[in-house]
Amino acid sequence: MNSYEFIKNEAGKTLIACTYRQNGKSYLGILDDVQGSFSLLDIPFTDIDNIASWNDYLYVEGASAVHPSSVAKVTLDGRKVVDFKICWSSSSDCLKYESYFSQPELIEFPTVVPGQNAYAYYYPPTNPLYQASQEEKPPLLLKSHGGPTAETRGILNLSIQFWTSRGWAFVDVNYGGSTGYGREFRERLLDRWGIVDVDDCCSCAKFLLENGKADKERLCITGGSAGGYTTLAALAFRDTFKAGASLYGVADLNLLKAETHKFESHYLDKLVGDDKAFFDRSPINFVDKFSCPIILFQGLEDKVVPPDQARKIYKALKEKGLPVALVEYEGEQHGFRKAENIKFTIEQQMVFFARLIGRFNVADPITPIKVDNFD
């Protein structure tokens, strides 16, 4: 990751081209450290990962709500952009479907702590060929990102567009503890993972309900890894959501602490706290509190969140009599890489939600897997 480059202006003076993030958005500019001045550069990217300079040009790796991850060549005249050209795109074909793209709206919503707000990207249902009735509110899928101290970004994500193009509202939450919104915001999660993230996801769903953006009876939650943990914790310890999907999610914090890889072996110490907190915030210890359908997806070669976690939660929910399904993938690790598995995962989530709580048939020809205690 490279966030700055030394460049020379027309007079041969050395300047610094740099990028930074503020309130969930990336900015690119020119810094003159001698004069103490900074000039913003106007480019279409709202999210920037890397910058490099070569032969008087800047090359920027970034994305936006309508641009997939791309590399752009930026031509400068002094401190102004005179040309912006995409020279490589991760998905150049997708732009022909732009009329289907749901544009993210950055929302700020109140949390359970008075005076504290959190953030999310809300994507309304969007399809130029269909119009929903005014009487019906859309089903909502809320996503909790991984990390947990990572950040979700408002850039083109075709997995999100899959949902919105089929009539779903989608919200991608940056709960307290996410990066990108300052130190105080990030440190909200210290000793409170499993509390702040869960509360903020529930608060976001409540905020959207109050603003008429979703159907109360069709609120669903999904997440992978740490987001899968937030999903399971929200379903176990709160009653906001009607169904959920956990992708290689954490069910047992003590098991995660004991079996996870060396690089993150002490990551949890600051996020959870003492032994009692590890027990009290592990959904697997409170299966009696689960009360709605759940579908689980797990890679069998996962070294970060071993398969035992998903199997343990699946067995407990099956014995309790709740509708539950477990999908295991040979050869997959922490995060699915094979296209057919990524496709299968997203399709089975949708058909699972549609059958169990959605009250509708999916438009795509998807064959549902067997759901225990339902089929």
Side-chain angles (χ1 to χ4, degrees), residues 30-199:
I30 304 294
L31 175 67
D32 186 328
D33 64 318
V34 176
Q35 290 186 357
S37 64
F38 183 78
S39 305
L40 273 176
L41 297 176
D42 185 18
I43 64 171
F45 288 163
T46 57
D47 191 88
I48 299 171
D49 289 322
N50 283 294
I51 62 172
S53 63
W54 185 260
N55 288 347
D56 300 324
Y57 298 106
L58 277 180
Y59 289 87
V60 181
E61 179 191 355
S64 75
V66 294
H67 293 92
S69 184
S70 308
V71 176
K73 179 181 179 181
V74 181
T75 306
L76 301 177
D77 182 7
R79 301 185 191 188
K80 291 185 177 180
V81 176
V82 294
D83 189 42
F84 178 91
K85 182 180 180 182
I86 302 287
C87 49
W88 177 84
S89 172
S90 61
S91 184
S92 56
D93 287 346
C94 73
L95 294 181
K96 62 187 177 185
Y97 302 107
E98 190 172 346
S99 63
Y100 289 85
F101 293 167
S102 177
Q103 297 288 320
E105 172 193 348
L106 179 62
I107 60 172
E108 184 175 353
F109 59 90
T111 69
V112 296
V113 179
Q116 283 191 358
N117 291 347
Y119 305 88
Y121 291 101
Y122 171 75
Y123 297 79
T126 304
N127 189 314
L129 302 180
Y130 298 93
Q131 178 64 49
S133 69
Q134 294 298 313
E135 293 76 30
E136 185 179 11
K137 297 289 190 295
L140 174 74
L141 182 60
L142 181 145
K143 181 183 176 185
S144 54
H145 65 70
T149 53
E151 173 193 8
T152 192
R153 301 185 172 192
I155 61 176
L156 182 60
N157 182 333
L158 296 182
S159 293
I160 293 175
Q161 303 300 328
F162 175 87
W163 295 89
T164 57
S165 63
R166 287 156 174 80
W168 285 72
F170 194 103
V171 65
D172 212 351
V173 181
N174 275 318
Y175 47 77
S178 306
T179 192
Y181 297 87
R183 183 186 297 271
E184 181 277 327
F185 190 85
R186 193 176 71 251
E187 291 183 345
R188 289 181 192 177
L189 208 61
L190 297 183
D191 291 328
R192 295 180 64 78
W193 187 31
I195 299 174
V196 170
D197 49 320
V198 172
D199 283 341

Side-chain angles (χ1 to χ4, degrees), residues 178-239:
S178 306
T179 192
Y181 297 87
R183 183 186 297 271
E184 181 277 327
F185 190 85
R186 193 176 71 251
E187 291 183 345
R188 289 181 192 177
L189 208 61
L190 297 183
D191 291 328
R192 295 180 64 78
W193 187 31
I195 299 174
V196 170
D197 49 320
V198 172
D199 283 341
D200 286 359
C201 286
C202 294
S203 294
C204 182
K206 180 182 177 183
F207 176 81
L208 292 172
L209 283 177
E210 291 172 348
N211 284 274
K213 304 284 191 182
D215 181 348
K216 181 181 180 181
E217 300 304 318
R218 295 188 289 179
L219 295 180
C220 301
I221 184 170
T222 187
S225 189
Y229 165 69
T230 301
T231 292
L232 293 172
L235 296 172
F237 305 128
R238 308 290 188 276
D239 58 2

